Amino acid sequence: MIPNNEELEKFYELHGKYYHHFVAIGLKYGWSIEDLKDIISQMFLDLIEKNIQIATIAHPKAFLTTVFRRKLIDNARKNNKESGLRQQISYLSATEEYENYRFEEDSELQKKIQTAYAKLPPRCRKVIFLTFYRGLSTEEIRRQLGLSSRTVYNNLFEALKLLRTSISKRDVVPAFLLLYYF
């Protein structure tokens, strides 16, 4: 229902009368003047659209102040939600780019590690395999291969040293990550 001219005049009058009051409230809560102009205008448009009868309101300033504060809260929630969505989208796209980059980098690194692993002496390869792939302790490897604990330790140390030197410094990874590349 479209309000008559008298009602529109009353809304226009209230807008002019309380505009600076609403701006002061909005500035107190940190809103910019441009945002407040839009919010105040939208508030009055919403009241006109809802066909609110000004004559029936006993305390227009209190009523309009309450409506305005609720409008500020609604806009703040909307802005926070939009900001949160933008942050999530930004995070997801950055994560996706990073994952794609890491996948390409990991596959390169995996090839380098496999090549370096293939160049190791057979006993060193066996110790690396049992340590990182099978998860055996030095004592279990010693029993399985019939070597001394010191020999197992030395072979593991030598294998890791050779792997590190054959892979560039930028590509060096902690030893426990080798498990994932075999």
Side-chain angles (χ1 to χ4, degrees), residues 7-29:
E7 283 294 316
L8 289 175
E9 283 297 320
K10 288 178 185 174
F11 277 109
Y12 184 71
E13 182 184 321
L14 289 174
H15 183 279
K17 185 175 183 179
Y18 298 120
Y19 178 80
H20 294 291
H21 171 70
F22 298 139
V23 169
I25 291 171
L27 289 174
K28 184 172 109 179
Y29 290 117

Side-chain angles (χ1 to χ4, degrees), residues 47-105:
L47 291 173
I48 291 169
E49 190 177 279
K50 291 178 182 176
N51 202 22
I52 302 294
Q53 302 296 317
I54 297 295
T56 61
I57 301 171
H59 303 284
K61 185 177 180 180
F63 173 78
L64 291 173
T65 301
T66 302
V67 171
F68 179 68
R69 284 190 173 144
R70 288 179 182 166
K71 192 77 170 159
L72 288 177
I73 291 168
D74 290 345
N75 279 317
R77 285 182 182 151
K78 180 182 169 192
N79 289 346
N80 285 341
K81 191 174 187 179
E82 288 173 358
S83 174
L85 289 174
R86 277 193 296 271
Q87 285 175 346
Q88 284 180 338
I89 289 168
S90 173
Y91 172 77
L92 290 174
S93 64
T95 303
E96 186 176 315
E97 288 174 23
Y98 177 74
E99 289 299 322
N100 290 338
Y101 171 75
R102 285 297 303 162
F103 178 74
E104 292 168 9
E105 194 175 271

Side-chain angles (χ1 to χ4, degrees), residues 134-182:
R134 292 273 171 88
L136 299 179
S137 68
T138 304
E139 185 60 31
E140 293 168 325
I141 295 170
R142 184 193 68 77
R143 274 188 258 126
Q144 188 171 343
L145 297 179
L147 303 170
S148 71
S149 294
R150 188 72 191 156
T151 303
V152 171
Y153 176 79
N154 287 343
N155 278 289
L156 182 61
F157 177 81
E158 187 64 28
L160 290 174
K161 185 173 104 180
L162 290 171
L163 285 173
R164 282 188 191 108
T165 56
S166 62
I167 299 169
S168 72
K169 293 280 186 204
R170 186 180 72 77
D171 296 326
V172 173
V173 293
F176 69 88
L177 291 178
L178 294 173
L179 168 67
Y180 298 107
Y181 295 116
F182 294 113

